[in-house]
Amino acid sequence: QVQFVESGGGLVQPGGSLRISCAASGFAFKDYAMRWYRQAPAKEREFVAEIGISGRTTNYADSVKGRFTISRDNAKNSLYLQMNSLKPDDTAVYSCNVAFGDRWYWGQGTQVTVSS
C-alpha cells in the first residue's frame, strides 16, 4: 500500500532554514507528480508546492514562492522541500501527497514550528 514517512521538521527561528523529506513506498514513485501540503492549527490544509515526474517542472503557492524549493530523487523514492527565510506563518504540519486520479494519499506529516 501507499506509504509516506516525512522527516526533518523541528523548531527554527524566523529567517532560518529547514529541509524536510518524504520517503515514499508502495507505488511507482518515478511515474507520478508529487506535492507538499501544509496545515496550520485551526486552518484548512493548503497547497505548498508540486513537482513533475522528471523534476524539471515545479509549481509553488504564492506565499512560499522564492523561499521554498521542491525537489525529488527518483532513485531513492524521496521528495524534499528546502525552506528558506522561514516566517512564523509557515508554522504547520507538512505532508507529502500523491494522486491517482481521484484517489489522494497523504503522509502523517512533520511539524515545522517557526518561532523565536
Side-chain angles (χ1 to χ4, degrees):
Q1 69 277 25
V2 174
Q3 287 190 326
F4 297 117
V5 178
E6 295 97 336
S7 62
L11 174 64
V12 61
Q13 292 188 341
S17 297
L18 208 58
R19 187 190 193 217
I20 58 176
S21 303
C22 170
S25 61
F27 68 104
F29 179 83
K30 65 180 178 60
D31 292 337
Y32 292 91
M34 295 294 299
R35 300 169 189 85
W36 283 103
Y37 278 76
R38 68 185 181 186
Q39 187 166 20
K43 291 188 177 181
E44 295 286 322
R45 180 183 285 156
E46 66 172 349
F47 168 80
V48 175
E50 178 178 37
I51 188 167
I53 59 175
S54 69
R56 288 194 294 269
T57 303
T58 57
N59 184 35
Y60 297 92
D62 287 344
S63 58
V64 308
K65 202 170 292 184
R67 300 187 298 122
F68 290 11
T69 302
I70 188 172
S71 62
R72 65 190 297 162
D73 185 336
N74 288 341
K76 296 182 178 180
N77 288 354
S78 292
L79 180 71
Y80 307 100
L81 187 68
Q82 176 67 44
M83 303 180 289
N84 299 329
S85 302
L86 282 160
K87 306 174 182 179
D89 283 349
D90 296 319
T91 295
V93 175
Y94 286 71
S95 302
C96 49
N97 160 268
V98 68
F100 305 145
D102 59 356
R103 290 180 294 153
W104 290 55
Y105 296 88
W106 309 89
Q108 292 289 329
T110 185
Q111 176 71 47
V112 173
T113 303
V114 185
S115 175
S116 55

